[in-house]
C-alpha cells in the first residue's frame, strides 16, 4: 500500500499540471510583466494583508479603511489582466476546496454530521 504522503505529492503534481493551475500561472505572469498592473496588484495585496492582520489582532477597521479597500478592489476588478488573474485564482480555489471535501470525507463519515443523528 502506498504511503499517504506519496499520494499527497502525486496530488501536488496533478495540481501543478492541471489546466486550472497553468491558466492561473499564465494570468499571474501577465500581471507581473505589466508594470502598471503589477503595481496595482501589489497595492491590492498589501491592502488585503493589512486588513487581515488588523482583523487577526482584533483591531478595529475604520470606515476610511473599508472605503479605501473597496476603491482598491473596484480599481483592480476593472483592470482586464488583474480581473483575469482573480478569476483564475477562484477557479483553482474551487478545485482545491472540492479536493479538500473529498479527502476529509472519511472523517466526516466517521464522526457524522452533528446535526443528523446516526442510526
Amino acid at each position: 500500500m502506498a504511503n499517504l504522503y506519496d499520494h499527497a505529492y502525486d496530488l501536488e503534481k496533478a495540481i501543478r499540471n492541471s489546466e486550472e493551475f497553468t491558466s492561473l500561472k499564465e494570468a499571474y505572469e501577465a500581471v507581473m510583466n505589466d508594470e502598471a498592473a503589477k503595481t496595482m496588484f501589489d497595492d491590492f495585496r498589501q491592502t488585503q494583508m493589512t486588513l487581515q492582520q488588523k482583523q487577526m489582532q482584533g483591531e478595529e477597521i475604520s470606515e476610511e479603511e473599508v472605503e479605501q479597500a473597496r476603491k482598491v478592489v473596484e480599481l483592480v476588478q476593472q483592470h482586464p489582466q488583474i480581473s483575469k488573474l482573480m478569476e483564475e485564482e477562484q477557479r483553482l480555489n474551487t478545485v482545491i476546496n472540492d479536493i479538500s471535501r473529498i479527502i476529509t470525507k472519511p472523517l466526516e463519515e466517521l464522526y457524522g454530521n452533528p446535526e443528523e443523528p446516526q442510526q
Side-chain angles (χ1 to χ4, degrees), residues 47 51 65-75 77:
T47 300
L51 293 179
E65 289 171 315
V66 170
E67 182 61 23
Q68 179 63 30
R70 188 187 61 74
K71 286 178 182 177
V72 170
V73 169
E74 284 179 9
L75 191 61
Q77 287 176 335

Side-chain angles (χ1 to χ4, degrees), residues 41-57 61:
F41 183 71
D42 289 344
D43 289 346
F44 168 69
R45 298 281 294 169
Q46 184 59 48
T47 300
Q48 274 186 320
M49 288 191 300
T50 300
L51 293 179
Q52 285 175 351
Q53 282 178 331
K54 285 187 121 181
Q55 250 181 345
M56 287 173 33
Q57 294 171 352
I61 298 173

Side-chain angles (χ1 to χ4, degrees), residues 24-25 27-49 72-73 75-90:
L24 174 61
K25 188 175 177 186
Y28 179 79
E29 288 169 354
V31 168
M32 292 299 113
N33 290 325
D34 178 320
E35 197 58 43
K38 181 183 183 315
T39 300
M40 195 180 295
F41 183 71
D42 289 344
D43 289 346
F44 168 69
R45 298 281 294 169
Q46 184 59 48
T47 300
Q48 274 186 320
M49 288 191 300
V72 170
V73 169
L75 191 61
V76 297
Q77 287 176 335
Q78 291 174 11
H79 193 287
Q81 289 173 313
I82 299 173
S83 181
K84 172 80 170 158
L85 174 58
M86 294 169 82
E87 288 171 19
E88 296 301 336
E89 185 177 321
Q90 184 58 46

